[in-house]
Amino acid sequence: MRKIFLAISISALIAACTIDRSEFPSLEVGQDFTDSNVRVLVLDSFTVKLSTFKFDSINTSSSERLLVGSYKDEYFGEVKSAAFFELTRSTTESTTNIYDLPEDAELDSIALILGYDRYFYNDTTSVSQINVHLIQEDVEPEDDIFYNTSTLKFDSVPLTTRNYFPEPFDEDSLHISIPFEFGRNIFDLLQGNDINDTDELREVLKGFSLQPGSLDNGAVIGFSRGSENTYLRFFYSVPEEFEDDEQSFDLVINPFPEFPIAFNSITSMIDSTDLEGLIDQEIEISSTESDNLAYIQSGTGYAVKVEFPSIKDIFDVPGSGTLLKATLRIKPLRTSYNDFTTLRDSLVVSFLDRNNLAGAQLENSNGRVFGRLIGENEEFLDVTYEIPVDRYIDFKLNEIREGDDALVLFLNEFNSTINRVVLQGEENRDFKASLELTYAIYDDE
């Protein structure tokens, strides 16, 4: 199973091949090009090949967000995310036994509180459903990581179900009542000191899986993993002489676990779409074979490979030259985004090897390189992504042995969102993906 990883080998080569303008003749202020033998050319006839592929898996256990929800997407099919997590007693309270409860305490109610973290994708005006299921096996990854493709066994019948209108900006949290009898069983065991540590708690409560409704077509909602925002709260009273003193204690997602104890399982049902055949990371589909479109989606692993097969045609230009600037321009498909499926303002640009394994992020003299949205209309009606690829193109022009490397485009928070973007390919009638080079010829004798 291949995973997204970081490498520095290609970036080290590019650093060694950065543009050296020390031998490039400089022009004095006021000097006319006609007074020198320098010609500056702007060329944009190079082939840009865009392909879509899918990473085999993405580490979602490192995310600080729980993603729950489902919606139907025109390009990616049914997109669904379910959350899995283990609970333990908060260690912030200073007690000898962190599960201590007064002997005369009486349980009043129990609730799962999910704190909104203000992330959502798609339509929050539709009713969503959360089904709370009990996990049937320990939340322990086989190889120290949970991925978007991971899952755990859970009870088929939910412990409880909550229908709600998501309000990630208007409300702090979502309150889900837990059946009293289930809560009282755990409460009694804690109170009777039958549960004294996390291992003993696991025997009774291995954790929860939050599953969206099978018919949901609304939004994927982000909830915080933070112990101050998301917790299973037991409300109890201690009888007093004049009135009951209501108190509570919480079970939380451990913020400092020895191994991952929470993750998101993210899937997309892509039957009968252009992406149906992408079942292995080394398989890719050219935009020319997918309606001149290329696809990126976080969470599920879709990314865009970029190649420049004709870049060395620039050597057909007579004379010695120096690359001054290289800009890749790609336009998002106008009909693919709206107020629900919003357009993201940047793309991450990294190296990609021959097996479609991602490496280090592309850098230039200003730091890490991103694709930035360029356009005057604030509502993104006519915009393009512009990507400075000077160093990569310079590397390709100066490589001794031609390699099979490429660039890969994906979105920020690739492991903790389901954001997506649809890009127009190299033969799109509206706007062709293009590479523009500014090239200086200073010896054409």
Side-chain angles (χ1 to χ4, degrees):
M1 180 178 292
R2 298 182 177 87
K3 291 87 178 175
I4 296 179
F5 69 100
L6 294 181
I8 60 171
S9 56
I10 299 180
S11 59
L13 288 172
I14 287 188
C17 296
T18 53
I19 299 170
D20 182 4
R21 296 184 173 84
S22 61
E23 299 179 359
F24 180 69
S26 60
L27 298 177
E28 296 179 1
V29 176
Q31 183 180 0
D32 196 359
F33 277 110
T34 57
D35 298 332
S36 71
N37 63 344
V38 177
R39 292 188 298 132
V40 177
L41 308 178
V42 178
L43 309 170
D44 62 358
S45 59
F46 303 98
T47 301
V48 178
K49 181 181 179 182
L50 301 185
S51 304
T52 303
F53 71 97
K54 184 180 181 183
F55 289 108
D56 286 340
S57 54
I58 301 171
N59 178 357
T60 61
S61 54
S62 61
S63 169
E64 293 302 313
R65 171 179 293 143
L66 303 175
L67 286 173
V68 186
S70 178
Y71 80 98
K72 293 177 175 61
D73 190 281
E74 177 182 357
Y75 304 97
F76 297 91
E78 182 179 4
V79 181
K80 172 184 174 182
S81 182
F84 294 79
F85 55 91
E86 178 188 271
L87 293 168
T88 188
R89 183 73 164 107
S90 174
T91 58
T92 58
E93 299 181 15
S94 57
T95 58
T96 303
N97 180 351
I98 61 173
Y99 295 99
D100 272 348
L101 284 171
E103 293 182 0
D104 55 349
E106 298 177 356
L107 181 66
D108 295 326
S109 64
I110 179 175
L112 178 63
I113 310 299
L114 301 175
Y116 288 114
D117 77 346
R118 295 195 170 188
Y119 173 79
F120 69 93
Y121 202 76
N122 208 45
D123 184 8
T124 59
T125 65
S126 299
V127 175
S128 293
Q129 184 179 91
I130 289 185
N131 297 291
V132 181
H133 295 258
L134 292 174
I135 295 176
Q136 295 178 334
E137 57 182 311
D138 289 343
V139 185
E140 293 183 1
E142 292 184 2
D143 53 357
D144 298 326
I145 295 174
F146 284 113
Y147 301 97
N148 62 314
T149 55
S150 301
T151 189
L152 295 171
K153 294 179 181 179
F154 56 87
D155 287 349
S156 59
V157 178
L159 177 66
T160 189
T161 295
R162 171 71 192 272
N163 295 318
Y164 72 110
F165 283 101
E167 297 182 284
F169 285 90
D170 295 332
E171 298 289 342
D172 293 330
S173 60
L174 177 67
H175 183 287
I176 303 176
S177 296
I178 300 296
F180 184 81
E181 288 303 318
F182 172 81
R184 185 166 64 178
N185 178 55
I186 297 177
F187 187 87
D188 289 346
L189 292 171
L190 293 171
Q191 191 176 41
N193 291 324
D194 294 309
I195 297 177
N196 293 291
D197 55 36
T198 300
D199 289 336
E200 291 179 351
L201 178 62
R202 288 193 188 108
E203 296 300 317
V204 179
L205 177 62
K206 296 187 181 300
F208 289 136
S209 175
L210 306 181
Q211 298 282 333
S214 59
L215 300 179
D216 276 11
N217 183 19
V220 175
I221 304 299
F223 298 101
S224 171
R225 277 179 50 171
S227 57
E228 69 280 5
N229 300 310
T230 294
Y231 41 84
L232 182 66
R233 174 157 290 181
F234 295 77
F235 298 91
Y236 65 91
S237 300
V238 177
E240 298 290 345
E241 183 176 355
F242 298 106
E243 62 181 356
D244 291 346
D245 180 18
E246 187 173 74
Q247 301 182 42
S248 66
F249 79 91
D250 302 331
L251 297 179
V252 302
I253 301 173
N254 188 347
F256 306 108
E258 296 180 5
F259 50 82
I261 41 78
F263 67 96
N264 297 309
S265 177
I266 308 172
T267 59
S268 61
M269 302 295 291
I270 42 76
D271 295 343
S272 302
T273 72
D274 291 333
L275 307 177
E276 185 175 4
L278 300 182
I279 58 176
D280 183 272
Q281 187 161 321
E282 294 186 18
I283 298 175
E284 54 195 58
I285 180 171
S286 170
S287 67
T288 58
E289 300 173 346
S290 56
D291 296 326
N292 274 298
L293 299 174
Y295 305 88
I296 300 173
Q297 187 178 45
S298 302
T300 57
Y302 293 99
V304 170
K305 180 178 183 178
V306 184
E307 299 170 278
F308 308 99
S310 65
I311 188 61
K312 292 188 178 179
D313 289 352
I314 197 170
F315 294 137
D316 293 339
V317 178
S320 300
T322 295
L323 178 67
L324 299 180
K325 185 178 180 181
T327 303
L328 172 64
R329 292 186 175 90
I330 311 176
K331 185 175 181 178
L333 181 66
R334 174 64 192 93
T335 56
S336 69
Y337 53 92
N338 52 42
D339 290 340
F340 296 143
T341 54
T342 54
L343 193 60
R344 302 295 139 165
D345 61 2
S346 65
L347 299 174
V348 178
V349 187
S350 292
F351 303 108
L352 198 70
D353 73 7
R354 61 186 303 174
N355 298 313
N356 288 346
L357 296 176
Q361 186 170 346
L362 182 63
E363 295 185 1
N364 60 19
S365 58
N366 295 319
R368 293 181 178 180
V369 169
F370 292 89
R372 302 293 187 186
L373 270 181
I374 304 298
E376 296 181 357
N377 194 303
E378 295 181 357
E379 297 183 358
F380 300 144
L381 293 179
D382 189 17
V383 295
T384 59
Y385 286 105
E386 289 195 0
I387 307 171
V389 291
D390 313 55
R391 285 197 175 181
Y392 180 74
I393 296 301
D394 193 63
F395 162 69
K396 296 301 292 181
L397 293 177
N398 288 281
E399 62 184 350
I400 298 175
R401 178 181 299 176
E402 188 167 343
D404 295 329
D405 55 90
L407 294 177
V408 58
L409 308 179
F410 53 93
L411 292 164
N412 274 314
E413 298 184 303
F414 202 59
N415 71 335
S416 60
T417 69
I418 48 90
N419 302 332
R420 50 81 153 171
V421 62
V422 180
L423 300 173
Q424 297 182 175
E426 64 265 35
E427 295 184 7
N428 196 285
R429 293 182 180 180
D430 173 45
F431 185 97
K432 297 180 180 180
S434 65
L435 175 68
E436 181 182 279
L437 300 189
T438 303
Y439 198 70
I441 303 295
Y442 56 89
D443 182 11
D444 58 358
E445 296 180 358

